[in-house]
Each structure stands twice: as C-alpha cells, then as structure tokens.
Amino acid sequence: MSSRAPDLKYNDSGYVDNTSFEALKKIRREERRQLIYEIKELAKKYGYEVINTIELKEIESDGYD
C-alpha cells in the first residue's frame, strides 16, 4: 500500500473534480486556522505568547486511522 495521500483533485473514478477539491481545501484551511487559534490560546493560558509563524505539516496517514 502506498504511503502517499490520495490526490484530492480526482474523484473515485479518476476524473478531475474541482468543486469537491475546492470545498475540501476550504475545510482543511479552516481546520488549520482553528488549530492555530487553539495553540495560541493554550500558550496564553500558561502565560506565553506565540511570537513567530506557526508552520504545520500534516502527518502522512497509513490509511488505517
């Protein structure tokens, strides 16, 4: 089994599906924004402030999550 994530631009039939891709991209962007907000709030709770850009890298899944 490949460890690469599936290309979200294509549907299950292998055709390009821009509508679905754009919707999923928007959802993932919002999830990242929410995560960064929560990280900042956690830091604030403990008396810290995030002063640099937070860079996130998604952990590649093995498909069994």
Side-chain angles (χ1 to χ4, degrees):
M1 177 176 270
S2 173
S3 64
R4 290 184 56 194
D7 189 340
L8 298 176
K9 289 184 180 184
Y10 298 92
N11 62 21
D12 291 339
S13 300
Y15 293 98
V16 174
D17 187 348
N18 285 326
T19 303
S20 175
F21 174 70
E22 291 300 322
L24 290 171
K25 191 167 73 169
K26 186 175 180 178
I27 290 168
R28 293 175 74 112
R29 185 179 308 125
E30 185 57 38
E31 288 173 344
R32 286 190 305 272
R33 284 184 183 146
Q34 181 63 32
L35 177 57
I36 290 171
Y37 171 79
E38 291 175 16
I39 291 169
K40 288 179 177 181
E41 288 299 308
L42 183 62
K44 189 180 197 180
K45 177 181 174 182
Y46 285 94
Y48 294 91
E49 178 182 9
V50 175
I51 59 170
N52 284 322
T53 302
I54 297 173
E55 185 175 337
L56 301 173
K57 180 180 180 206
E58 188 171 347
I59 298 171
E60 293 187 20
S61 171
D62 61 6
Y64 295 103
D65 293 346

